[in-house]
Amino acid sequence: MTSRKKKTVLSLVGARPQFVKLAPLAAALKKSFHHIIVHSGQHYDARMSDSFFSQLHIPDPNINLEIGSGNHGQQTGRMLEKFEAVLLEKKPDMVLVYGDTNTTLAGALAAAKLHIPVGHIESGLRSFNKRMPEEINRIVADATADLLFYPTTAARENLLCEGQKNGLVNSGDLMYEILDACTELSGFRSKQYEQFGVGERDYCLVTLHRAENADHKDRLEKFVDILKSLPCPAVFLVHPRTRKNLIAFGLMKTLDDSPSVVVSEPLPYIETLSLLSTARALLTDSGGMQKEAYFLGCPCITLRSETEWVETVKAGANTLADLSKKKILTALKSKASRRRKLNYRIRGIKPSDVIAGAIESFLTKHE
């Protein structure tokens, strides 16, 4: 009797939050499938990409499309062309896309056009702001997906409201799974804040990268003014795209000259978590970091007027301030939240195993 051939599952990733979600899932998929990892090259800076693979022990990508930066249409078009060629060569049984980036959109579209089943990790999230490219990417990915792995009750409700009733899988949150493991590492316990000359719980950690903030001079001017007005030092981890625009708009020197703002390149994942865990507050427009702050007990101030992670706001751990200096300064007066021991398992099973099991059942059913 011949042994049954392993099915092939292909993961397409290209940005920080996707690498984080891939980390626990790659290990689970390896047990039952031939797993191919394709890196789109959307995040091509080593600090935004390579360090995640090494720190989180993710297997090196089998293929790198090396797309790089560009306008949305240009970047997505290049990804579609190159990824389609990979799919035609590798012929996977399922394609997994993660989150809400242009990589997600291109992967879902390319696979669906070739009638390859699509699984969308972190399905159902909605900000209800279609001016955000991420919102369009989420909606299209969910519309094409055969398996919709939703992390929260709110995400499930969003899918049902949109008429999505088939293929819904309550997967829990992969980001919490890997984050919980990382808090046990020595690198997490290190005093990262000391290298920036600040004290524990005496600084704000700051990140900013979304197009609606980073690509507009008036928004960046407000942001810079806010950083200079904070009642404590700010450790600003500058995304390459944001740095480029700060320089182009003549705002970088203002930050460099400010005695209360410490400007830094992005840090590797575990070092960033360590810095977040000892911060007075987080100021960010990142979806992933909102969740990480919630888990680690760091008050979060979101530099947007909406969020996909509504449960963090309902819990009082996240304030939607947009770029309102008044709202931000008021939020900083609030008491610190505390670290939450979250039950991220589904009926006792880790999210990575839930997802791998659902994929195996789906592919077996459709043989």
Side-chain angles (χ1 to χ4, degrees):
M1 183 176 178
T2 57
S3 60
R4 188 171 167 184
K5 183 181 177 182
K6 279 187 175 182
K7 300 288 187 180
T8 298
V9 175
L10 189 153
S11 286
L12 177 65
V13 293
R16 173 193 186 274
Q18 295 166 346
F19 308 144
V20 172
K21 297 176 189 73
L22 176 63
L25 187 54
L29 291 174
K30 185 179 179 181
K31 298 173 187 175
S32 303
F33 304 101
H34 174 47
H35 184 212
I36 298 173
I37 299 174
V38 177
H39 192 323
S40 71
Q42 182 171 338
H43 277 182
Y44 50 89
D45 186 290
R47 292 157 301 196
M48 306 292 289
S49 177
D50 296 358
S51 64
F52 288 89
F53 283 82
S54 60
Q55 282 197 333
L56 302 181
H57 305 293
I58 307 170
D60 289 338
N62 301 90
I63 299 167
N64 193 322
L65 303 182
E66 299 181 339
I67 299 299
S69 60
N71 294 329
H72 288 289
Q74 180 187 47
Q75 187 181 64
T76 306
R78 290 202 303 264
M79 287 181 193
L80 277 166
E81 181 180 6
K82 287 196 169 187
F83 189 52
E84 183 181 63
V86 170
L87 295 179
L88 290 170
E89 178 190 350
K90 299 298 183 182
K91 297 180 173 56
D93 297 288
M94 174 167 278
V95 168
L96 294 181
V97 295
Y98 299 68
D100 59 12
T101 69
N102 288 340
T103 297
T104 313
L105 174 64
L109 283 175
K113 291 280 188 179
L114 293 174
H115 308 294
I116 299 170
V118 174
H120 184 199
I121 307 295
E122 207 171 77
S123 181
L125 300 186
R126 297 291 182 269
S127 65
F128 302 101
N129 178 4
K130 287 189 177 180
R131 292 182 62 83
M132 291 176 56
E134 292 87 354
E135 185 78 350
I136 304 300
N137 295 343
R138 294 182 196 116
I139 292 170
V140 175
D142 283 339
T144 61
D146 299 272
L147 288 178
L148 299 102
F149 299 104
Y150 65 87
T152 65
T153 302
R156 179 178 183 272
E157 292 302 315
N158 290 337
L159 291 169
L160 292 174
C161 287
E162 293 172 5
Q164 297 275 20
K165 297 180 181 178
N166 299 319
L168 273 62
V169 179
N170 180 10
S171 62
D173 199 319
L174 286 167
M175 185 170 282
Y176 285 150
E177 182 178 340
I178 190 64
L179 199 157
D180 194 32
C182 286
T183 59
E184 302 301 319
L185 300 177
S186 59
F188 175 81
R189 298 193 186 98
S190 62
K191 298 179 180 179
Q192 288 294 319
Y193 57 87
E194 290 183 344
Q195 68 173 293
F196 297 102
V198 295
E200 186 174 359
R201 303 290 177 191
D202 191 37
Y203 62 93
C204 288
L205 180 62
V206 183
T207 75
L208 189 93
H209 77 281
R210 290 187 181 266
E212 64 268 27
N213 284 326
D215 289 356
H216 300 280
K217 184 178 180 181
D218 60 331
R219 299 280 292 176
L220 283 178
E221 286 175 338
K222 286 184 180 180
F223 171 71
V224 169
D225 180 56
I226 287 166
L227 290 196
K228 292 168 59 183
S229 304
L230 296 177
C232 60
V235 177
F236 180 26
L237 306 183
V238 190
H239 189 281
R241 159 205 210 130
T242 309
R243 177 181 289 275
K244 182 183 75 172
N245 288 334
L246 284 167
I247 293 171
F249 297 142
L251 296 169
M252 197 71 224
K253 189 174 186 305
T254 303
L255 286 178
D256 287 335
D257 291 344
S258 175
S260 62
V261 180
V262 184
V263 176
S264 169
E265 302 291 342
L267 296 179
Y269 181 63
I270 294 172
E271 285 80 354
T272 301
L273 290 181
S274 175
L275 197 59
L276 177 58
S277 70
T278 54
R280 173 175 170 178
L282 169 71
L283 277 66
T284 190
D285 61 3
S286 162
M289 291 196 74
Q290 291 175 50
K291 288 196 296 175
E292 289 160 355
Y294 179 67
F295 183 90
L296 294 172
C298 178
C300 181
I301 300 171
T302 296
L303 306 177
R304 294 164 49 196
S305 56
E306 73 285 307
T307 181
E308 305 76 42
W309 301 106
V310 293
E311 65 277 5
T312 63
V313 178
K314 290 178 180 177
N318 188 1
T319 301
L320 300 179
D322 197 16
L323 292 180
S324 166
K325 185 192 296 187
K326 181 179 179 181
K327 288 182 180 179
I328 291 169
L329 295 179
T330 299
L332 282 172
K333 295 177 183 177
S334 302
K335 292 181 179 179
S337 58
R338 53 190 178 80
R339 183 169 167 186
R340 291 162 171 79
K341 278 293 182 184
L342 301 176
N343 181 12
Y344 54 83
R345 295 172 182 253
I346 304 298
R347 295 179 295 279
I349 305 173
K350 292 186 296 185
S352 56
D353 289 330
V354 171
I355 292 169
I359 294 170
E360 187 166 20
S361 296
F362 176 90
L363 293 179
T364 300
K365 182 179 178 181
H366 291 84
E367 280 183 327

